[in-house]
Amino acid sequence: MKVLVINSGSSSIKYRLFDMDHETVLASGLAERIGEAQGALTHRARTEGSLEVVHQGRELIADHRRGLAMIVACLVHEDYGVIAHTSELDAVGHRVVHGGEMFKAPAVINDEVIQAIQANVALAPLHNPPNLTGIEVARSIFAEAVQVAVFDTAFHQSLPQKAFLYAIPYSLYETEGVRRYGFHGTSHAYVVEEACRYLSRAPETVNLISIHLGNGASMAAVQGGRCVDTTMGMTPLEGLVMGTRCGDVDPALPFFLADHLHLSLREIDTLLNQQSGLKGLCGMNDMREVMTQRRCGDERADMAMQVYCYRIKKYIGAYYAVLGRLDALVFTGGIGENAADVRELSCSGLHAIGIELDKDENARPAEGIRDIGVAGTRVRVLVVPTNEELRIARETARVVQALER
Ligand code: ADP
């Protein structure tokens, strides 16, 4: 089965074509700066076992339709094409950021589903509209393929009411859908599945805390394979300290900024989303840079790192209490997979609850899934490389197989 995964953003289309029989990537790429004076398309194709850049072009990509047409031209290219015709695609899996309360699982896309995604635009005004554009264009170009929407919020739909409600007038939940939704669900679901496989345990029997640390960052408490709490909220601003987002702050902070500094709502939005987090604390939002400066003795970099890791540690404690029994911590995302210092600081002093890192194993650069906990301790500490595209492809393939049954 061949599945094309599409992540359509406001000015970009990221894609990956999978042969699901062996879960191999046949091609991948990125069309970016769509609608700008000069766009760019980078396309990789499988040649003799590895993915190589076979096309790198700069030209006007007027809109998403043109972008996807250019991608198709690469996929069927006479020299480096990996399929002969678009009809070879069995399905297209679309990443959709917000499924609201309507989608607890992936959905075969039809007019009704499109309407439902549209109904959630108010909750994700920056993401759902370009996701819909990608769906619309793909439906017309790959008319024979099954189109499936995979939602970033779906994994968190199992949260109990006590975890998803905010203590504000209940009517706001009823009329406006104000509640915790959570994001990064595709990544959390992927690493949880991989972790269970690694531990040779059925998901129903395992309690985990999944820690996704990329530019955005979130944690999920997972009980018997089901998510029961997560740090991001109604928007991705809540929870952990991120590259440029503040995470948890006093909800009265915006009033203070408006009253005393006369900032507008838009300015406050920019301040909390783009000028805060690691960047706000030490001027750098790239963790590699923060770590390098910290090692050189930069006090602000150290301070930012302390705040960043303290927040993670605090949530580990909170989710330990929520779960009652913890089998494993799972670190993932660019930072979670690579930043040994972050893992060490976040887990420091947690031996009382069975969490202890093997220093050498933690510091050893390695690829693939691994256990960095001290042998024999109660809680396994795993590093699991995430792969959201593969998760979307797997979910899409499952939906197609269910249709065929
Ligand atoms: P996104 O959330 O955009 O997918 P990633 O998951 O790729 O982002 O994570 C990006 C973050 O990972 C950046 O802060 C980057 O500095 C960090 N990162 C990537 N590689 C390393 C590394 N080797 N050591 C420390 N941090 C790293």
Side-chain angles (χ1 to χ4, degrees):
M1 184 188 298
K2 291 198 176 74
V3 176
L4 178 66
V5 172
I6 291 180
N7 183 352
S8 173
S10 58
S11 65
S12 69
I13 304 173
K14 246 197 218 168
Y15 60 96
R16 204 171 282 191
L17 175 61
F18 288 90
D19 178 345
M20 290 310 287
D21 298 341
H22 304 99
E23 291 195 339
T24 45
V25 179
L26 300 177
S28 70
L30 173 67
E32 55 191 328
R33 297 196 290 281
I34 296 173
E36 293 179 24
Q38 195 184 51
L41 174 64
T42 307
H43 180 81
R44 291 181 170 77
R46 177 164 288 270
T47 45
E48 290 165 14
S50 65
L51 279 182
E52 306 284 347
V53 175
V54 289
H55 172 91
Q56 200 155 32
R58 289 183 189 286
E59 61 176 293
L60 173 75
I61 309 177
D63 53 21
H64 285 69
R65 179 169 301 277
R66 173 75 190 130
L68 200 54
M70 288 164 67
I71 292 165
V72 169
C74 286
L75 291 175
V76 302
H77 195 274
E78 60 175 355
D79 295 332
Y80 52 77
V82 291
I83 51 173
H85 193 266
T86 51
S87 60
E88 279 181 46
L89 292 188
D90 297 280
V92 182
H94 295 270
R95 175 181 185 227
V96 180
V97 166
H98 219 305
E101 288 191 325
M102 289 171 221
F103 297 104
K104 299 177 181 6
V108 175
I109 294 171
N110 53 28
D111 293 343
E112 227 181 338
V113 168
I114 288 183
Q115 268 173 20
I117 297 171
Q118 242 147 12
N120 287 322
V121 162
L123 294 171
L126 299 181
H127 293 104
N128 274 23
N131 295 162
L132 277 168
T133 306
I135 289 173
E136 214 174 280
V137 173
R139 274 180 110 193
S140 68
I141 292 184
F142 308 109
E144 291 157 70
V146 181
Q147 312 271 333
V148 177
V150 180
F151 301 91
D152 240 19
T153 48
F155 183 62
H156 306 300
Q157 276 298 300
S158 46
L159 256 61
Q161 202 178 44
K162 64 186 175 190
F164 75 65
L165 277 183
Y166 293 122
I168 57 173
Y170 185 68
S171 57
L172 284 170
Y173 166 58
E174 292 177 303
T175 58
E176 307 300 325
V178 176
R179 54 160 285 178
R180 176 184 309 287
Y181 289 97
F183 300 87
H184 288 145
T186 306
S187 175
H188 288 300
Y190 177 82
V191 297
V192 165
E193 190 177 15
E194 291 297 300
C196 291
R197 193 174 301 171
Y198 181 83
L199 297 169
S200 304
R201 299 268 300 270
E204 302 76 48
T205 67
V206 183
N207 287 357
L208 299 152
I209 298 174
S210 169
I211 307 172
H212 176 110
L213 308 173
N215 286 313
S218 70
M219 288 170 58
V222 182
Q223 192 160 44
R226 288 164 63 81
C227 185
V228 292
D229 205 352
T230 190
T231 56
M232 280 181 169
M234 173 152 166
T235 76
L237 189 57
E238 196 181 341
L240 300 181
V241 176
M242 308 180 212
T244 64
R245 292 186 208 133
C246 57
D248 295 340
V249 289
D250 184 333
L253 177 60
F255 317 135
F256 176 85
L257 296 173
D259 284 347
H260 292 266
L261 299 179
H262 308 295
L263 297 189
S264 67
L265 277 181
R266 192 162 297 277
E267 286 167 331
I268 296 172
D269 185 336
T270 305
L271 186 141
L272 299 180
N273 272 293
Q274 293 169 29
Q275 298 164 352
S276 297
L278 291 172
K279 189 175 181 191
L281 288 168
C282 71
M284 298 168 273
N285 64 293
D286 190 303
M287 185 53 90
R288 276 168 293 209
E289 219 181 313
V290 178
M291 282 166 55
T292 307
Q293 292 308 317
R294 179 172 179 253
R295 288 204 193 110
C296 294
D298 183 327
E299 284 178 16
R300 292 281 288 272
D302 181 57
M303 175 190 75
M305 186 81 148
Q306 299 289 346
V307 176
Y308 186 92
C309 295
Y310 176 72
R311 186 79 51 85
I312 297 170
K313 181 173 169 171
K314 208 159 86 167
Y315 272 112
I316 291 174
Y319 286 173
Y320 185 91
V322 166
L323 294 171
R325 190 201 81 224
L326 180 62
D327 298 302
L329 282 187
V330 181
F331 281 96
T332 194
I335 296 170
E337 291 165 33
N338 298 297
D341 301 10
V342 170
R343 293 191 299 255
E344 187 178 334
L345 261 181
S346 308
C347 294
S348 66
L350 293 178
H351 50 272
I353 58 170
I355 297 170
E356 204 169 345
L357 290 196
D358 180 320
K359 279 203 164 184
D360 295 336
E361 200 50 48
N362 181 44
R364 191 171 64 85
E367 287 191 0
I369 184 163
R370 62 207 172 102
D371 187 343
I372 57 170
V374 167
T377 41
R378 221 168 345 117
V379 179
R380 304 322 314 144
V381 183
L382 306 180
V383 178
V384 181
T386 194
N387 192 336
E388 291 168 85
E389 290 83 4
L390 178 56
R391 171 75 187 182
I392 294 172
R394 282 180 182 169
E395 293 277 274
T396 302
R398 270 176 217 154
V399 168
V400 173
Q401 276 155 1
L403 283 178
E404 284 168 357
R405 253 178 242 136

